[in-house]
Amino acid sequence: MKFSMHAFQIDKKLLLMKVHFFLAIAGSAPIIPFLSTILKQRGYSSVIVGLVFTLYAIPALLVRPVIGAITDKYKCRKVALLSIIFTNSLVLCVLLLLPGTHVKTEIDDVDVLKSPLFWLFFTTLAVLNSGIMARSVMETTICIAALGENTHKFGEQRVWGSIGWGTTSFVCGAIVDWFSRGQDYKNYTPGIIMALVMTILDLYVASRIEVVQNSDKKTEAGDMKQVFTNIRVLSFIFWILAFGFLSAFVWNYLFWYLEDLSRLYHPETISYIKTLEGLTQTIQCFGGEIPFFFLSSYILKRVDGMKVFSLMFFGFAVRFFLYSIIKNPFWVLPVELLNGITFALAYAAATSYTAEITPVGAEGTLQGIVATAFLGIGIPTGSLVCGFMFDHFGSITSYAIVSGVSFSICIIQIIVNQLINRYSKDTNLKKNRTVDRNAVGDVNDNL
């Protein structure tokens, strides 16, 4: 009888984390993936859009490691998470009040940069992006702490964010198309309202989460020095940068590319292009991310994280090549199944590996640094490069070029990892982490 009760017992902490991931990431889905086309509708060129994605990441670049270090020191992760979510809800209210301009022709870049409305819109997006990124650091750190030694199960929690994203993005795209019937532009107001409702609900759920933060173990300076002078860690950070760089070509410009295909080859799809764009996110999540987030626990217990990264880089090469040969935007849908490899599995591997190499007490610090490398440097750099490539070569040719780049990175990464495994004799990190894990287990046993 006791066994039966235990088998069906639900971990309240992890249940609330799942709900939080669902609401928090669902709250970003009506805005973030559509942002490049929102900016395009305002008359901004791909160069300006790339500049926006690069510059608005700078505040977040500073916020992520700072928020991680502060909450590690003062043990205030829950307060920080709630403050961030509340701030995000206020910013969404501001975004809702800003005038939604739309033009038929592209505005000169110089004129755009002289416009006060552009800078007001940019500032609002920068604050919102900083909030989303800071929230990501906190929720990841809190979740990893709740998992304890079972960090390989992170994907099983984060998958609920993909469910929220995949559901909301499709609904948002369909509603935007419906509200925009008979107009020569898309009305994104319903999407902003959806995001605001999700964020407010998430504020309540986050307030109910029990946060476990070890206050007994202090991080020694030598521990962190050892981490950042290890060749495996340094190479890992570099691959994270490449991961972010390539992800930007999907995250920030996929919808721009789809509208190019629609305009060039299938203009009959323009009336429901937002629904189609939202559907790509649904396929990415339900067909790609969700299966691989669930499988990540099984895979990461058996496959080295760096081999997962090799598969991820190869997946990007295949994905971008397929983008370059597609004519009908509908054929992009099956390609999005690769998102399970190019994002979900790689993201789970990165998070788990970060947790394994982090000294106890510095979880937020290193998670913040890794998030900064991925979202604060890799994504913005990729966005800037992608914007210039789209402007000079067009979206289709750009994807053909970056497919070759992805394959080259894959080959280089495989070779480097083989060399590190052969010649690196530094095993202290693993030993130290094992000792620290035992300390964490002792603390958890006493709670």
Side-chain angles (χ1 to χ4, degrees):
M1 183 65 179
K2 289 183 178 180
F3 174 80
S4 178
M5 291 294 292
H6 178 75
F8 290 98
Q9 193 173 25
I10 297 175
D11 190 324
K12 183 179 178 182
K13 290 184 295 184
L14 296 182
L15 176 61
L16 288 174
M17 280 304 307
K18 291 177 173 67
V19 177
H20 161 73
F21 274 123
F22 178 91
L23 292 172
I25 298 177
S28 301
I31 297 176
I32 301 303
F34 295 94
L35 194 51
S36 65
T37 54
I38 292 174
L39 294 169
K40 184 179 183 181
Q41 184 171 276
R42 286 174 170 262
Y44 305 154
S45 70
S46 62
V47 174
I48 291 294
V49 173
L51 191 63
V52 168
F53 285 133
T54 302
L55 293 180
Y56 90 157
I58 293 177
L61 183 66
L62 303 175
V63 166
R64 276 184 291 268
V66 170
I67 195 71
I70 289 176
T71 54
D72 280 345
K73 181 176 181 179
Y74 295 105
K75 316 302 177 187
C76 57
R77 290 174 185 166
K78 185 170 183 177
V79 172
L81 179 63
L82 294 176
S83 300
I84 291 166
I85 297 173
F86 178 73
T87 302
N88 288 350
S89 65
L90 294 180
V91 176
L92 287 171
C93 291
V94 174
L95 190 61
L96 193 61
L97 296 175
L98 288 178
T101 60
H102 49 88
V103 298
K104 293 184 177 180
T105 58
E106 190 174 282
I107 303 174
D108 182 75
D109 292 347
V110 176
D111 292 335
V112 170
L113 296 177
K114 290 180 179 179
S115 169
L117 181 59
F118 167 76
W119 289 108
L120 178 60
F121 189 63
F122 167 80
T123 302
T124 304
L125 293 178
V127 175
L128 179 62
N129 182 65
S130 298
I132 292 173
M133 296 304 108
R135 188 208 71 216
S136 176
V137 172
M138 282 298 93
E139 65 195 14
T140 299
T141 305
I142 291 171
C143 184
I144 288 293
L147 289 171
E149 294 186 356
N150 299 314
T151 58
H152 59 279
K153 293 186 176 181
F154 172 77
E156 296 176 12
Q157 320 310 315
R158 175 55 178 78
V159 68
W160 290 92
S162 297
I163 294 172
W165 180 283
T167 303
T168 309
S169 57
F170 172 70
V171 173
C172 175
I175 291 177
V176 167
D177 276 336
W178 188 76
F179 266 79
S180 305
R181 290 179 303 173
Q183 303 178 44
D184 56 358
Y185 67 95
K186 299 297 183 179
N187 183 354
Y188 290 96
T189 300
I192 301 175
I193 294 174
M194 286 180 63
L196 181 59
V197 171
M198 293 289 183
T199 304
I200 293 173
L201 290 174
D202 183 42
L203 185 62
Y204 172 76
V205 172
S207 69
R208 310 294 296 176
I209 294 176
E210 297 178 17
V211 177
V212 177
Q213 188 163 6
N214 184 5
S215 59
D216 299 323
K217 172 72 177 180
K218 292 185 178 179
T219 306
E220 299 293 336
D223 292 341
M224 292 306 294
K225 181 180 179 181
Q226 183 185 17
V227 168
F228 289 112
T229 56
N230 183 273
I231 185 63
R232 295 182 186 277
V233 177
L234 294 176
S235 65
F236 168 64
I237 297 296
F238 181 81
W239 306 131
I240 288 289
L241 291 171
F243 180 21
F245 178 87
L246 297 175
S247 295
F249 283 75
V250 178
W251 288 19
N252 294 335
Y253 286 93
L254 175 61
F255 289 3
W256 188 298
Y257 156 75
L258 287 173
E259 295 191 5
D260 281 350
L261 289 183
S262 180
R263 176 177 52 82
L264 291 172
Y265 303 113
H266 290 274
E268 74 277 4
T269 63
I270 293 176
S271 62
Y272 52 88
I273 191 63
K274 294 300 163 187
T275 303
L276 180 60
E277 290 170 356
L279 189 57
T280 65
Q281 304 301 292
T282 304
I283 299 296
Q284 283 182 12
C285 294
F286 286 91
E289 290 182 21
I290 291 174
F292 275 93
F293 268 133
F294 276 121
L295 289 171
S296 64
S297 176
Y298 176 84
I299 294 173
L300 293 175
K301 289 178 71 174
R302 293 162 175 81
V303 180
D304 177 71
M306 291 301 96
K307 291 182 180 178
V308 171
F309 267 46
S310 301
L311 180 62
M312 175 262 292
F313 289 130
F314 180 75
F316 269 124
V318 173
R319 186 174 186 175
F320 293 146
F321 172 73
L322 293 175
Y323 285 167
S324 70
I325 63 174
I326 287 173
K327 295 292 193 297
N328 191 321
F330 271 102
W331 282 107
V332 171
L333 297 180
V335 179
E336 298 313 288
L337 294 172
L338 288 171
N339 201 58
I341 295 174
T342 60
F343 174 67
L345 186 58
Y347 182 78
T351 303
S352 178
Y353 186 78
T354 302
E356 290 177 7
I357 64 175
T358 308
V360 174
E363 295 88 351
T365 302
L366 195 57
Q367 289 290 352
I369 291 172
V370 171
T372 297
F374 179 66
L375 296 166
I377 300 176
I379 292 286
T381 303
S383 297
L384 185 64
V385 172
C386 188
F388 276 97
M389 288 180 67
F390 271 36
D391 186 62
H392 287 81
F393 306 113
S395 58
I396 298 173
T397 302
S398 295
Y399 278 125
I401 295 172
V402 78
S403 173
V405 172
S406 303
F407 185 73
S408 299
I409 294 175
C410 177
I411 298 300
I412 294 171
Q413 193 251 358
I414 291 173
I415 294 173
V416 170
N417 287 334
Q418 289 294 325
L419 292 175
I420 290 176
N421 290 334
R422 176 173 296 184
Y423 296 108
S424 176
K425 298 180 180 179
D426 188 353
T427 59
N428 291 331
L429 271 179
K430 186 174 182 179
K431 291 180 180 178
N432 287 347
R433 184 59 183 170
T434 301
V435 173
D436 286 340
R437 281 186 180 278
N438 291 335
V440 174
D442 293 338
V443 172
N444 288 336
D445 289 341
N446 294 326
L447 292 179

